[in-house]
Amino acid sequence: MLLIVLAGCLINGPLYERRKEELTDDDGDSFAQDEDCNDKDAAIFPDADEICDGADQDCDGEVDEDALDALLWYPDADADTYGDASAPGVPACDTPTGHVANALDCNDGATGQSPAGAEIAYDGVDDDCDGTDLTDVDGDGHDAQVVGGDDCDDSRADLNPTETEVPYDGLDQDCQGGDADDLDGDGAAATEAGGDDCDDTVAGINPSAREAWADGFTDNDCDGENGDAVLEFGSEVWSGWRAGDRQGRRVAALGDLDGNGLQDVLIGTEYDSTLGEGSGAVYAIDGAPGGSLEVARSLLPDVAGRYFASDVDAGIDATDDGIPDLLVSTVGSAEVAGTAWIVDGSAWVVAGDATIGEVEVGFVSGSAPGTYGPASVQFVGDVTGDGVTDIALSECCGTSSGSSSRGRVAIFSADTFAGSIEDADVLIDGPWDGAYMGGELESVGDQNGDGLDDILVGGAAGLAGAIVGGSVSGSLSDLAIAMIYGDVSAGFANARNAGDLDGDGRDDVAILGEDEAGVIYLFTAVGSSPTRTIGSPSCVFDWSEHGGVFDIVPLGDRDGDGRDDLFIPEFYSDSGNQRAWILPGAAVSFGGSVEAEESSLSGVSVVPMATFGYSAALGGDVDGDGGDDIVVGAPDYSATAALAGAATLIAVPR
């Protein structure tokens, strides 16, 4: 009992209560009051995480130090509200002096550099702090050339090296140094781009180009005219090899005789001396790539001294075997009647070099010595209406009566070609004594619309030419579809088919006047005008300043205007280098005249060709270049031997 009383007397009540309180954890934060600086707040105790609230959470006597939610503050030395991105952040609950709460300033020493800065292109400075200078203003993925890039215009996204160039718009889309204004690379800008190149798709067409014959319907030099061109004679010249043979007096298109895909050419050489002086010969000339002309086979007469091949024609398959055949004549003399032969082309191919007796399938003799027939021999289509190709022969001095030198034309079907001219299916006499009708014969199609082919017949003094057809014999005065009168020559007038120059569907007629060198009288719609005179042609083509015309070649419509065009070679030239002209149908001024210089295209040969154009024919594609060729004879050409003659190819202008 005494001990209990003593113990009670020994306890200090207030101390006990105070210690009890100090050792009590009122806020349950595991820290009693004697360690917890605020035992009423469970978030305040030693080692608690400090936060920015103005309180001492960790009971270390400091407020808000190292607070978990303190912000990082960065120096803003240039006071542009953007902190230095290169400086370490300062954690603080309140903004330290000279600091901001971002690290976006790429240069804290320059007020103009910050995310709010205006980027200045190409200055090498990252003004807006996006990590680079502005070098691609238009955003096309290409830096400007001023900073070493390849964008020629950094203000437009559609101008850069990956763009497709648009020609002639004045813009350099692909940054190659300018607008595409010279697509063909010939050094001349296109007219569409303000330049002077009239065709920017062809390098050979520009103001400095030379006019070329082969593409003569093209204005190569962009002067608005086709102009003069150079006829490139050279490898395409086939020269005779013996003096006096006069190769090229007659030429014709033979067709593809040997089946090699190239057109062949027929050369008639009445003065050829292979069998002796004045014997004559025919040569088939093979075309070859590159323009060379080579003799493929020859045809000689059976008898020497007959002037074989005084006329030739070819290209018609008269024997119906798929191979073109040919006609050959010898005009005869005062002592010997002439002869005309059909030659079987397939037999000639097999025989190679042959005589006429080995390959002919029919022949017709002149009526008598001194009639000088057959002077001309031609395939003329179906004149008589029997469905068979006809052959026309002429005797310029023969007649069917006792009259003198009227001349006459004989028409045979190819399948009955035999006997004498007197045996012809149709015989047509000249209109008067001394008419000498039949110097030349040519087919001119259907002139009068009766469905049958008609024949153009040349004459002499008083009779320039006539058109005849049908199946009835008689006098030309009674049977002619049309006659052209006029004294144009002391010898035979050269009446020629000129093609359809006026576009009316009928071939027109040209009379090559020999009284005035180089005058061509053009007549259109001949079949609808029975009587015409040299004094009233449809048009006169005046060649009088040049060397005369002996033959012409209709070319068909080469320039696409619906009217045929005409090739006209110069027969002789004082300069030695002949010219050739292309007369377009559109240039024919009906009722007037056309000067040679008004022709759309002319060319000058680079090789002198004596008597160039004595004969000429449209030969097809002889040299294999894809374009038609004209074969032109020059019988007085003397490069290999005096008067050896030659034939040459001229490309039909395209």
Side-chain angles (χ1 to χ4, degrees):
M1 184 69 175
L2 179 62
L3 290 172
I4 296 173
V5 171
L6 290 173
C9 293
L10 292 174
I11 295 173
N12 184 332
L15 175 63
Y16 171 79
E17 292 298 326
R18 180 170 60 80
R19 285 296 297 160
K20 179 182 177 182
E21 184 177 350
E22 289 176 349
L23 296 175
T24 300
D25 180 14
D26 291 335
D27 55 13
D29 59 7
S30 301
F31 288 91
Q33 192 178 84
D34 62 347
E35 293 178 306
D36 194 339
C37 57
N38 185 351
D39 202 33
K40 303 298 182 182
D41 188 338
I44 299 175
F45 55 86
D47 298 326
D49 291 326
E50 192 75 30
I51 62 173
C52 294
D53 60 355
D56 179 17
Q57 272 84 10
D58 58 2
C59 297
D60 64 354
E62 297 182 26
V63 176
D64 293 346
E65 87 287 357
D66 299 326
L68 285 180
D69 58 349
L71 298 177
L72 288 177
W73 302 87
Y74 299 89
D76 180 17
D78 54 11
D80 59 4
T81 73
Y82 293 94
D84 188 346
S86 64
V90 176
C93 291
D94 297 315
T95 306
T97 302
H99 287 67
V100 293
N102 67 78
L104 300 177
D105 199 337
C106 54
N107 185 352
D108 200 37
T111 304
Q113 282 183 259
S114 73
E119 186 65 41
I120 300 173
Y122 322 136
D123 63 353
V125 176
D126 181 13
D127 301 283
D128 59 1
C129 293
D130 65 352
T132 182
D133 182 28
L134 179 58
T135 57
D136 179 16
V137 173
D138 54 17
D140 58 8
H142 294 267
D143 288 340
Q145 291 177 344
V146 70
V147 292
D150 55 7
D151 194 338
C152 54
D153 188 339
D154 201 33
S155 67
R156 293 185 56 160
D158 59 343
L159 306 182
N160 63 70
T162 60
E163 294 295 316
T164 299
E165 186 64 32
V166 178
Y168 318 141
D169 65 351
L171 299 174
D172 181 15
Q173 273 89 0
D174 60 2
C175 293
Q176 295 301 304
D179 183 25
D181 58 5
D182 180 17
L183 299 184
D184 55 16
D186 58 9
T191 54
E192 296 91 335
D196 51 10
D197 190 341
C198 54
D199 188 342
D200 200 32
T201 65
V202 180
I205 301 176
N206 60 71
S208 60
R210 187 181 71 170
E211 289 290 354
W213 176 269
D215 64 348
F217 290 115
T218 300
D219 178 16
N220 297 80
D221 60 6
C222 296
D223 65 354
E225 301 176 357
N226 292 337
D228 283 344
V230 176
L231 291 172
E232 299 287 359
F233 296 164
S235 63
E236 60 274 83
V237 172
W238 175 64
S239 299
W241 53 87
R242 284 188 299 262
D245 277 3
R246 305 189 73 183
Q247 306 279 8
R249 276 181 65 84
R250 292 289 183 267
V251 298
L254 181 53
D256 185 7
L257 185 68
D258 52 14
N260 67 353
L262 297 176
Q263 301 300 299
D264 304 312
V265 173
L266 194 68
I267 306 293
T269 309
E270 61 183 312
Y271 294 104
D272 188 276
S273 55
T274 300
L275 293 184
E277 183 177 352
S279 293
V282 175
Y283 296 98
I285 305 298
D286 253 353
S292 61
L293 297 175
E294 299 176 354
V295 175
R297 52 191 49 83
S298 63
L299 182 62
L300 300 174
D302 287 330
V303 179
R306 293 287 302 278
Y307 297 100
F308 182 68
S310 56
D311 198 17
V312 296
D313 194 21
I316 302 298
D317 181 16
T319 55
D320 293 323
D321 60 2
I323 304 297
D325 303 312
L326 54 143
L327 297 172
V328 183
S329 74
T330 177
V331 74
S333 65
E335 293 79 26
V336 181
T339 306
W341 294 266
I342 297 179
V343 176
D344 184 347
S346 58
W348 195 21
V349 170
V350 172
D353 295 332
T355 59
I356 186 64
E358 297 174 306
V359 294
E360 60 89 8
V361 292
F363 68 89
V364 170
S365 299
S367 59
T371 58
Y372 294 97
S376 182
V377 56
Q378 294 284 301
F379 290 112
V380 291
D382 183 13
V383 176
T384 58
D386 61 0
V388 179
T389 296
D390 292 319
I391 297 169
L393 312 175
S394 67
E395 280 189 329
C396 61
C397 298
T399 56
S400 297
S401 65
S403 54
S404 175
S405 300
R406 291 191 174 200
R408 60 181 173 178
V409 173
I411 301 172
F412 288 83
S413 288
D415 57 1
T416 60
F417 191 73
S420 165
I421 281 180
E422 303 283 355
D423 300 317
D425 299 323
V426 177
L427 269 174
I428 301 172
D429 286 319
W432 56 75
D433 289 353
Y436 295 102
M437 184 186 74
E440 298 288 348
L441 299 173
E442 286 206 314
S443 177
V444 287
D446 181 10
Q447 289 286 318
N448 59 358
D450 64 357
L452 300 177
D453 293 315
D454 301 313
I455 305 169
L456 174 62
V457 183
L463 177 64
I467 293 177
V468 64
S471 57
V472 179
S473 299
S475 171
L476 182 71
S477 300
D478 300 323
L479 302 177
I481 296 169
M483 297 179 68
I484 302 172
Y485 297 98
D487 187 1
V488 298
S489 173
F492 296 112
N494 288 327
R496 290 287 188 268
N497 184 336
D500 185 11
L501 295 172
D502 59 355
D504 68 352
R506 292 179 295 185
D507 290 338
D508 303 318
V509 173
I511 305 297
L512 312 184
E514 296 177 348
D515 58 339
E516 297 180 57
V519 176
I520 300 175
Y521 304 94
L522 296 175
F523 294 88
T524 62
V526 179
S528 61
S529 302
T531 302
R532 306 289 287 274
T533 69
I534 292 298
S536 59
S538 302
C539 182
V540 174
F541 192 56
D542 187 357
W543 205 276
S544 57
E545 297 299 320
H546 301 281
V549 181
F550 209 80
D551 203 356
I552 58 177
V553 179
L555 300 177
D557 181 14
R558 297 287 169 162
D559 54 10
D561 64 357
R563 298 165 67 170
D564 286 354
D565 307 304
L566 193 63
F567 172 78
I568 305 173
E570 183 179 45
F571 176 65
Y572 176 79
S573 172
D574 290 337
S575 68
N577 292 68
Q578 276 75 26
R579 300 181 71 91
W581 276 257
I582 299 292
L583 176 66
V588 175
S589 175
F590 299 105
S593 64
V594 180
E595 300 291 330
E597 286 71 17
E598 296 176 39
S599 177
S600 66
L601 175 66
S602 65
V604 181
S605 70
V606 295
V607 176
M609 299 288 286
T611 57
F612 173 80
Y614 185 90
S615 59
L618 182 62
D621 184 9
V622 178
D623 57 10
D625 67 353
D628 288 342
D629 301 299
I630 304 168
V631 57
V632 181
D636 289 354
Y637 186 60
S638 300
T640 53
L643 302 181
T648 185
L649 288 184
I650 296 175
V652 175
R654 305 182 195 181

